[in-house]
């Protein structure tokens, strides 16, 4: 085969690949391109919702406070997945819940746990993150 024939064959092959790639949508891979739009459809689920640090704190402190109130805990605060600051909140919440349980009943203690954990965690994370460092 001559050089001109090989070159022509290469040009034809290159154009065929370019046409195939364009048809497949691989020519515009950017975030707003057609390839990105082709991957998402009307039936795609929405992106997952995020939970605020204050809400996560409230959930974990309330959970472990209920367990601590019944004596059903083990290990230290790290094994519970708490930071030192969250554990301080847990101790305050459990102390108040024990007093509420003695004054009234377990239901009152449960309500107090929910309210106090929410209040203290909201205060701690009022700016989005605690200010005392990663272990606080």
């Amino acid at each position: 085969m001559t050089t001109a024939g090989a070159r022509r064959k290469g040009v034809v092959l290159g154009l065929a690949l370019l046409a195939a790639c364009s048809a497949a949508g691989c020519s515009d891979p950017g975030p707003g391109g057609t390839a990105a739009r082709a991957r998402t459809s009307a039936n795609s689920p929405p992106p997952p919702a995020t939970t605020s640090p204050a809400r996560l704190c409230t959930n974990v402190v309330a959970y472990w406070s209920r367990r601590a109130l019944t004596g059903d805990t083990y290990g230290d605060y790290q094994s519970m997945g708490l930071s030192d600051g969250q554990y301080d909140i847990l101790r305050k919440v459990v102390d108040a819940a024990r007093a509420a349980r003695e004054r009234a009943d377990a239901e009152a203690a449960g309500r107090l746990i929910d309210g106090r954990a929410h209040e203290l965690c909201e205060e701690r994370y009022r700016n989005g993150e605690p200010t005392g460092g990663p272990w606080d």
Side-chain angles (χ1 to χ4, degrees):
M1 183 184 285
T2 65
T3 307
R7 193 174 299 141
R8 193 172 329 134
K9 198 175 207 178
V11 169
V12 171
L13 182 60
L15 289 173
L17 286 173
L18 181 61
C21 190
S22 294
C26 59
S27 64
D28 191 10
T34 56
R37 283 190 295 262
R39 286 189 298 269
T40 60
S41 71
N43 295 330
S44 296
T50 57
T51 304
S52 72
R55 183 41 132 176
L56 289 172
C57 173
T58 299
N59 291 347
V60 74
V61 167
Y63 172 81
W64 284 112
S65 294
R66 284 186 170 75
R67 300 266 313 254
L69 193 60
T70 62
D72 184 24
T73 59
Y74 66 95
D76 63 359
Y77 69 94
Q78 290 175 333
S79 66
M80 295 179 205
L82 301 173
S83 69
D84 185 46
Q86 291 168 335
Y87 189 64
D88 287 341
I89 292 172
L90 178 130
R91 288 190 312 230
K92 291 174 187 176
V93 169
V94 171
D95 288 345
R98 282 189 182 118
R101 185 177 62 185
E102 289 175 12
R103 277 191 317 272
D105 59 9
E107 189 175 311
R111 284 192 305 273
L112 184 135
I113 286 172
D114 291 335
R116 193 75 175 131
H118 175 74
E119 175 186 331
L120 293 174
C121 287
E122 284 290 328
E123 180 182 319
R124 176 173 171 72
Y125 292 95
R126 68 184 167 274
N127 296 325
E129 293 295 328
T131 57
W135 298 109
D136 188 32

